[in-house]
Amino acid sequence: MDQYPPLQLAWIALSIFMLGMSKGGFPVGPIALPLLVLIWPGETEPAKAAVAFILPLLCVMDMTAMFFYRKKVLWRMILPLVPGAVVGIVIGSIFFISADRVPDEWLKLCIGIIGILFIAQRATQKWVLKRMDNPDHKPGLITVGFCGIACGIASTLAHAAGSVLRMYLLPRKLDKMNLAATHVAFFFIVNLLKV
């Protein structure tokens, strides 16, 4: 750690802190990875290194959160998403398996696009939720599959699938504890699958 300047260590610590805040419900997680990519020390492929660095941290955070939320999880809401998420994880993993054919710039571009989509989701969230104001409506197989695949890809490439999952869960009008617990449980499963 002595080889890294204190400023870089401070930015890394801030990124990790932001990831922890996102597990607590404050939606700053999608900012953490791009920040880490920008300042990642001494790597020729900072995007791949940063994504790989964050995964074990997320797993530890997920295990801790699951301990607190385990009794509030609504498994029926997220289990249908898991097969699609597995497909998305496989698609996203192809970028990492074929590292010599997929340049780090492509991964940076994907992380940037996911960041822009996160901003668009936040900007249109109220408008979308007004049009999906039926908590009894059950999403169809295509919607569930698309959301699962999108979550798997976004999570594998940028650890930023929270927006997709929120757009799937928020129209259900869940209690805030159930929503947080279900969110945590889904990413607990997804991050273990990524490992």
Side-chain angles (χ1 to χ4, degrees):
M1 295 304 271
D2 294 337
Q3 63 203 28
Y4 302 127
L7 185 60
Q8 280 184 324
L9 291 175
W11 283 111
I12 292 170
L14 177 64
S15 297
I16 294 169
F17 179 71
M18 290 167 70
L19 284 172
M21 288 173 56
S22 72
K23 292 295 177 186
F26 194 71
V28 292
I31 300 167
L33 181 64
L35 177 64
L36 202 56
V37 168
L38 288 174
I39 54 94
W40 193 255
E43 291 289 336
T44 56
E45 295 185 324
K48 292 175 185 164
V51 169
F53 171 77
I54 288 177
L55 183 57
L57 296 173
L58 288 174
C59 289
V60 170
M61 291 177 193
D62 289 336
M63 286 188 278
T64 304
M66 278 300 292
F67 175 76
F68 291 106
Y69 285 124
R70 66 189 179 278
K71 294 180 182 176
K72 297 283 186 180
V73 176
L74 300 176
W75 293 103
R76 71 184 187 286
M77 297 283 187
I78 55 172
L79 289 179
L81 293 171
V82 173
V86 170
V87 171
I89 290 167
V90 169
I91 293 169
S93 296
I94 290 170
F95 282 99
F96 291 96
I97 293 170
S98 58
D100 55 333
R101 288 178 279 158
V102 178
D104 201 55
E105 287 76 26
W106 286 29
L107 185 57
K108 285 181 185 176
L109 178 65
C110 289
I111 291 170
I113 289 170
I114 290 170
I116 290 169
L117 291 174
F118 169 74
I119 292 168
Q121 181 269 330
R122 296 296 291 173
T124 61
Q125 183 171 320
K126 287 183 182 178
W127 180 82
V128 170
L129 289 177
K130 279 182 190 175
R131 276 137 188 84
M132 303 171 79
D133 200 15
N134 183 2
D136 297 324
H137 172 72
K138 296 196 181 208
L141 190 59
I142 293 174
T143 303
V144 171
F146 175 77
C147 287
I149 291 170
C151 282
I153 292 172
S155 183
T156 303
L157 293 180
H159 302 301
S163 296
V164 178
L165 185 62
R166 276 190 296 279
M167 293 306 283
Y168 176 79
L169 291 176
L170 285 177
R172 303 301 205 35
K173 306 279 190 201
L174 303 177
D175 173 71
K176 66 181 177 178
M177 289 300 286
N178 291 122
L179 178 65
T182 305
H183 195 273
V184 164
F186 179 74
F187 288 110
F188 174 73
I189 294 168
V190 167
N191 287 332
L192 287 180
L193 288 171
K194 288 189 297 189
V195 171

